[in-house]
Amino acid sequence: MLAVAVVAALVWANVPGSSSYSSFWRTSLQIRLGGEVLRASLRTWVNEGFMTLFFLVVGLEAARELSLGELRERRRALTPVIAACGGVAGAVGIFAAVTAGARGSGAWGAAASTDTALALGALSLVGPRGAARLRVFLLTLVVVDDLIGLLIITFAYSHAISGPALGAAGGLFVALILVRRLERWRGVATPVLGFGVWLAMFQSGVDPVIAGLAIGLVISAHSPARSDLERATELARAFREQPTAEFARSAQRGLSEAISPNERLQHRLHPWSGFVIVPLFALANIGVHIDGSVLESAVRSPVTIGILLGYVLGKPVGIVVSSWLASRSIFGARTPMVTWPGLLGTGAVAGVGFTVSLLVARRALPHPLFIDVQLGLLAALVVSPLLGKAVFSAIARLPVQVRARQIQGTAAELVDLAVDVDPERDHIRGGRDALVTLLEYADFECPFCGQAEPVIRELLASEGAELRYVFRHLPLNDVHPFAQLAAEAAEAAGAQGRFWEMHDLLFAQKRELRPTALLACAKKLELDVERFESELARGAHKARVSADVESADASGVSGTPTFFVNGRRHHGAYDLESLTRAVKAAALVGLPPLRQPPRMV
């Protein structure tokens, strides 16, 4: 969508004999409330209004990683923070060197900031699939990078700043943080206060998009609690029994509140951010009339060359060098999150500027030089992803053992699984000494677990002794009335040495798990039926199932199926391709090191 918008803007701006592009985006739009008037051009409403929502989504993603992801161990965030500062310094330094003494040198801030959407998009296109750490590293880097860029706009390119308005924005922001603790009123107060922060920033003379990033960073993210999910189920059941407007509202509110505010907002805003706001920003800002004289001038322009070299060369070099410095003992000897080759590829794709660069350039430069910035950014937009693709292609050709050694030199995986696998207690299939352990919390009555079961069998068949599969119970009793009894039936069969046979039969039952069906399964397996019935009747295995449930709660698991790969929670799809990719990535990390270490790659 962003690429389509860029092409559309260039075509629109180059319609022969027409100036409709420029005149349209200069159109004034005002909002009047009593004696107060908000007046700005359409382009300003896009740049300082709609883009606030884009930066809000960026802040939400970063807050989620800080609460639930790789960055919940705060030390891990320091390296990408330092890398972001190094990337800004490298890009600005090269721009300043190229434009020294020339017109446009004052627009050094246009070379500072990586574009979040473009960088993450480029990484997803040219980077290795399933490289979650690379994405987290880049996300952290670009959030800090954006913050630096917005601060540059605030202090270097803002004029006539209103102290009272800026103070009001700060006060409203503090009030927004405090109101998040008020469960009853936060749903109404948060958007009102958030709009107030934006409005005060807009009136202060400081670019208000920084408000979106700040608000996103303070909106909490957490895993759904079992108690909240069970309460939502009760409310939905009450509505089913009494379908009134009151119960419908209660059920809707209960379902919504079971999910963290961070995830709710991301779900609502992501489509608007990705498919509307960012393309609209491109449409409003990248259109430039191009002819022979414009291109000839840009090729010779220090501004164009400075922007291109700053992003294509300065960014990756600054990111890699500053990350290397962060790993030295004098700076704390922080173990990197990603491999050095991966860092180089990530630094290359970070060499795309757009959003903040155009915001700076539009404030700092006259029209002819602004065109030079636009063309430099378009060139970097093509060259940087190609460089990233070349680096990642070279990495893919390295010997497996070399890649494994590089991975082993990174920070250890954060373990999400609270209770480790116990071979004496847990139910295990596959190689008991395998490099990779795939653990699942499942419910025999859950339709999604039923869909995952043949995927697991196929994965075990393809990976053989390299994979160990562990099954743990998590019966969702509030929605599956026979799940608890089925779990106890599997344990009763396990007491007679037939757990996996019962496991397979229960999933084959297609959720028909009434007591008569469980008894039929026991007879089919030729178990001691009398013992089987007796153990179910007195709940002999209830404590065993409850222990699994408690371990799930301790690991933050509230739904099924939930998978862990070597103790790390697997997010996203659980089809064969996704799980195979996760297993192979974990196996690469677990390979033994080489006897003779290779030279640094």
Side-chain angles (χ1 to χ4, degrees):
M1 291 296 294
L2 186 60
V4 169
V6 168
V7 172
L10 291 172
V11 170
W12 185 4
N14 286 277
V15 173
S18 172
S19 60
S20 61
Y21 178 85
S22 298
S23 60
F24 176 81
W25 292 110
R26 285 199 300 264
T27 302
S28 177
L29 174 66
Q30 67 179 31
I31 299 174
R32 181 184 298 273
L33 183 62
E36 296 296 322
V37 178
L38 288 179
R39 180 185 293 109
S41 67
L42 289 180
R43 179 180 284 119
T44 301
W45 282 112
V46 171
N47 293 354
E48 300 186 6
F50 290 153
M51 285 303 292
T52 303
L53 295 177
F54 166 74
F55 283 105
L56 172 60
V57 172
V58 173
L60 290 170
E61 288 193 358
R64 189 183 188 284
E65 287 298 331
L66 287 166
S67 299
L68 301 174
E70 287 279 351
L71 301 180
R72 65 183 186 272
E73 186 181 283
R74 293 294 183 260
R75 283 179 55 85
R76 298 189 178 218
L78 291 176
T79 299
V81 167
I82 294 170
C85 297
V88 170
V92 170
I94 286 184
F95 180 87
V98 172
T99 60
R103 284 186 65 211
S105 59
W108 52 269
S113 184
T114 296
D115 185 271
T116 303
L118 288 172
L120 294 173
L123 182 65
S124 69
L125 289 173
V126 306
R129 298 188 65 183
R133 278 200 177 188
L134 291 181
R135 189 183 188 282
V136 170
F137 183 92
L138 182 60
L139 174 64
T140 311
L141 185 150
V142 294
V143 167
V144 176
D145 189 282
D146 279 339
L147 183 58
I148 294 172
L150 295 176
L151 289 175
I152 288 173
I153 292 176
T154 300
F155 293 106
Y157 299 101
S158 294
H159 307 288
I161 295 177
S162 169
L166 200 58
L172 290 169
F173 183 70
V174 171
L176 184 143
I177 295 174
L178 295 176
V179 85
R180 299 300 307 165
R181 303 177 183 275
L182 303 177
E183 184 175 345
R184 184 169 183 178
W185 297 105
R186 67 185 179 190
V188 176
T190 299
V192 173
L193 290 171
F195 177 73
V197 173
W198 177 86
L199 185 60
M201 294 287 287
F202 187 88
Q203 296 289 66
S204 72
V206 176
D207 199 310
V209 296
I210 196 171
L213 185 63
I215 292 170
L217 286 170
V218 300
I219 294 180
S220 61
H222 54 78
S223 299
R226 174 182 289 272
S227 58
D228 291 337
L229 295 174
E230 290 174 348
R231 177 173 173 271
T233 301
E234 291 172 4
L235 292 171
R237 185 176 290 120
F239 170 70
R240 174 66 183 87
E241 294 169 352
Q242 292 290 324
T244 64
E246 180 182 356
F247 280 121
R249 185 171 179 273
S250 297
Q252 185 180 33
R253 187 170 61 248
L255 289 169
S256 177
E257 290 177 354
I259 304 298
S260 72
N262 185 292
E263 289 191 74
R264 291 202 303 271
L265 267 177
Q266 283 202 60
H267 179 73
R268 292 172 185 169
L269 294 178
H270 255 302
W272 290 100
S273 173
F275 292 104
V276 178
I277 294 172
V278 174
L280 187 61
F281 176 83
L283 188 64
N285 288 276
I286 204 63
V288 55
H289 181 71
I290 301 175
D291 55 28
S293 61
V294 169
L295 290 175
E296 184 180 356
S297 173
V299 168
R300 295 199 302 259
S301 169
V303 171
T304 304
I305 298 170
I307 288 288
L308 177 60
L309 293 181
Y311 277 109
V312 171
L313 181 61
K315 271 285 178 182
V317 170
I319 288 170
V320 172
V321 170
S322 57
S323 298
W324 180 82
L325 289 174
S327 71
R328 301 297 92 190
S329 58
I330 191 173
F331 291 99
R334 297 178 182 90
T335 306
M337 284 177 59
V338 299
T339 66
W340 293 107
L343 181 66
L344 180 59
T346 305
V349 299
V352 287
F354 196 76
T355 310
V356 176
S357 300
L358 290 175
L359 293 176
V360 169
R362 196 167 287 284
R363 288 169 177 252
L365 294 173
H367 180 66
L369 291 177
F370 177 72
I371 293 176
D372 292 345
V373 171
Q374 287 175 302
L375 294 175
L377 291 174
L378 286 172
L381 185 57
V382 174
V383 175
S384 290
L386 291 177
L387 286 177
K389 179 64 175 177
V391 173
F392 287 121
S393 296
I395 293 172
R397 291 184 173 88
L398 292 174
V400 172
Q401 289 280 9
V402 175
R403 289 160 56 198
R405 187 167 184 85
Q406 289 289 321
I407 292 174
Q408 288 167 348
T410 62
E413 291 281 351
L414 291 178
V415 177
D416 299 312
L417 189 66
V419 179
D420 202 3
V421 175
D422 181 357
E424 300 301 320
R425 175 189 175 279
D426 279 304
H427 303 294
I428 298 174
R429 265 181 170 168
R432 299 183 74 84
D433 298 320
L435 285 173
V436 182
T437 296
L438 176 67
L439 183 145
E440 178 187 10
Y441 282 99
D443 175 324
F444 286 113
E445 204 174 350
C446 167
F448 303 106
C449 297
Q451 294 171 14
E453 194 271 336
V455 172
I456 300 302
R457 277 192 277 110
E458 190 170 348
L459 187 62
L460 282 166
S462 63
E463 296 299 319
E466 298 301 318
L467 177 64
R468 178 175 68 164
Y469 170 67
V470 179
F471 180 94
R472 286 183 181 173
H473 302 285
L474 183 57
L476 305 180
N477 300 322
D478 53 329
V479 288
H480 298 147
F482 304 110
Q484 175 71 29
L485 192 61
E488 292 179 35
E491 290 301 325
Q496 300 185 39
R498 307 296 295 275
F499 173 84
W500 286 111
E501 292 84 346
M502 179 62 82
H503 166 280
D504 296 343
L505 272 181
L506 292 177
F507 275 122
Q509 292 292 112
K510 305 294 184 185
R511 303 172 65 200
E512 290 295 329
L513 301 175
R514 297 177 184 274
T516 53
L518 299 178
L519 186 59
C521 288
K523 291 177 180 177
K524 187 172 183 179
L525 293 177
E526 299 180 350
L527 300 179
D528 181 339
V529 176
E530 184 177 344
R531 175 187 171 187
F532 179 84
E533 282 189 286
S534 172
E535 290 180 353
L536 285 187
R538 70 175 190 271
H541 302 285
K542 186 174 292 186
R544 170 66 176 78
V545 175
S546 296
D548 277 0
V549 173
E550 290 172 6
S551 74
D553 289 339
S555 302
V557 177
S558 53
T560 57
T562 297
F563 293 95
F564 292 81
V565 181
N566 279 359
R568 190 80 171 95
R569 186 162 179 171
H570 172 76
H571 293 280
Y574 44 86
D575 57 275
L576 182 62
E577 181 184 0
S578 300
L579 288 178
T580 300
R581 191 161 57 242
V583 166
K584 289 191 179 298
L588 188 62
V589 175
L591 282 174
L594 294 172
R595 291 184 179 180
Q596 295 297 327
R599 294 181 179 179
M600 175 62 72
V601 177

XYZ file of all heavy atoms in Angstrom, residues 133-134 336-346 395 403-410 601:
179
model
N 13.926 -12.145 16.839
C 14.863 -11.269 17.544
C 15.300 -10.090 16.677
O 15.475 -8.982 17.179
C 16.089 -12.055 17.990
C 15.875 -12.822 19.284
C 17.213 -13.156 19.907
N 17.032 -13.825 21.177
C 18.027 -14.082 22.005
N 19.248 -13.732 21.682
N 17.800 -14.691 23.144
N 15.506 -10.345 15.386
C 15.880 -9.250 14.502
C 14.795 -8.190 14.483
O 15.074 -6.985 14.520
C 16.129 -9.767 13.079
C 17.359 -10.638 12.862
C 17.468 -11.032 11.397
C 18.624 -9.920 13.303
N 25.189 -9.244 22.822
C 24.222 -8.777 21.816
C 23.008 -9.692 21.722
O 23.093 -10.894 21.979
C 25.031 -8.798 20.516
C 26.145 -9.770 20.764
C 26.463 -9.671 22.229
N 21.862 -9.108 21.356
C 20.638 -9.883 21.152
C 20.691 -10.676 19.859
O 20.084 -11.733 19.747
C 19.418 -8.951 21.100
C 18.950 -8.414 22.430
S 17.560 -7.280 22.192
C 16.380 -8.349 21.373
N 21.384 -10.116 18.847
C 21.410 -10.732 17.526
C 22.861 -10.959 17.112
O 23.793 -10.375 17.681
C 20.685 -9.848 16.479
C 19.223 -9.673 16.855
C 21.348 -8.480 16.354
N 23.061 -11.796 16.104
C 24.411 -12.088 15.636
C 24.996 -10.877 14.920
O 24.268 -9.990 14.456
C 24.395 -13.280 14.673
O 23.673 -12.902 13.486
C 23.739 -14.493 15.295
N 26.313 -10.858 14.809
C 26.946 -9.730 14.119
C 26.574 -9.673 12.645
O 26.277 -8.585 12.121
C 28.455 -9.786 14.315
C 28.861 -9.554 15.730
C 29.329 -10.478 16.618
C 28.762 -8.324 16.457
N 29.542 -9.894 17.852
C 29.207 -8.580 17.784
C 28.344 -7.037 16.120
C 29.242 -7.588 18.755
C 28.385 -6.039 17.090
C 28.829 -6.320 18.391
N 26.549 -10.800 11.910
C 26.070 -10.707 10.525
C 24.613 -10.239 10.463
O 24.246 -9.436 9.594
C 26.210 -12.149 10.018
C 27.244 -12.769 10.878
C 27.062 -12.156 12.223
N 23.773 -10.759 11.367
C 22.380 -10.327 11.388
C 22.256 -8.850 11.711
O 21.386 -8.147 11.172
N 23.136 -8.358 12.585
C 23.136 -6.934 12.933
C 23.484 -6.086 11.718
O 22.880 -5.019 11.493
C 24.138 -6.688 14.057
C 24.237 -5.250 14.567
C 22.936 -4.829 15.239
C 25.394 -5.110 15.549
N 24.434 -6.555 10.913
C 24.810 -5.810 9.711
C 23.636 -5.740 8.737
O 23.346 -4.676 8.162
C 26.018 -6.464 9.043
C 26.530 -5.793 7.772
C 26.942 -4.352 8.045
C 27.710 -6.580 7.196
N 22.931 -6.876 8.546
C 21.766 -6.867 7.664
C 20.660 -5.983 8.193
O 20.005 -5.251 7.429
N 20.445 -6.019 9.505
C 19.406 -5.170 10.106
C 19.779 -3.701 9.980
O 18.918 -2.847 9.710
C 19.220 -5.546 11.590
O 18.946 -6.939 11.694
C 18.084 -4.768 12.209
N 24.515 -14.512 4.518
C 24.405 -15.239 5.783
C 23.822 -16.627 5.546
O 24.272 -17.623 6.134
C 23.523 -14.452 6.774
C 24.219 -13.146 7.175
C 23.215 -15.283 8.018
C 23.345 -12.211 7.997
N 27.016 -20.527 11.465
C 25.832 -19.766 11.873
C 25.452 -20.106 13.314
O 25.057 -19.229 14.090
C 24.672 -20.065 10.927
C 24.868 -19.465 9.536
C 24.007 -20.138 8.492
N 22.601 -20.117 8.841
C 21.684 -20.920 8.290
N 22.056 -21.801 7.376
N 20.429 -20.825 8.649
N 25.568 -21.397 13.659
C 25.227 -21.809 15.022
C 26.147 -21.140 16.034
O 25.706 -20.693 17.099
C 25.316 -23.326 15.147
N 27.425 -21.065 15.710
C 28.363 -20.443 16.652
C 28.054 -18.954 16.817
O 28.181 -18.403 17.916
C 29.800 -20.650 16.179
C 30.812 -20.172 17.214
C 32.205 -20.643 16.895
N 33.125 -20.249 17.952
C 33.325 -20.954 19.064
N 32.691 -22.089 19.244
N 34.158 -20.532 19.985
N 27.666 -18.317 15.731
C 27.283 -16.912 15.837
C 26.077 -16.751 16.768
O 26.047 -15.864 17.625
C 26.942 -16.361 14.450
C 28.129 -16.174 13.534
C 28.999 -15.021 13.978
O 28.502 -13.988 14.414
N 30.315 -15.199 13.889
N 25.095 -17.631 16.618
C 23.895 -17.553 17.456
C 24.230 -17.827 18.915
O 23.689 -17.203 19.830
C 22.822 -18.537 16.938
C 22.306 -18.056 15.575
C 21.660 -18.653 17.916
C 21.355 -19.020 14.902
N 25.148 -18.780 19.139
C 25.524 -19.111 20.513
C 26.240 -17.952 21.208
O 26.325 -17.912 22.433
C 26.402 -20.358 20.522
C 25.622 -21.625 20.203
C 26.523 -22.803 19.907
O 27.722 -22.646 19.730
N 25.941 -23.983 19.853
N 26.738 -17.008 20.433
C 27.390 -15.846 21.017
C 26.433 -14.740 21.412
O 26.864 -13.708 21.919
N 25.119 -14.947 21.177
C 24.136 -13.928 21.534
C 23.565 -14.212 22.917
O 23.814 -15.265 23.508
C 22.994 -13.901 20.497
O 22.316 -15.174 20.491
C 23.540 -13.624 19.112
N 32.841 -13.531 11.591
C 32.192 -13.328 10.289
C 31.593 -11.935 10.275
O 30.857 -11.587 11.187
C 31.093 -14.390 10.083
C 30.378 -14.138 8.759
C 31.704 -15.770 10.099
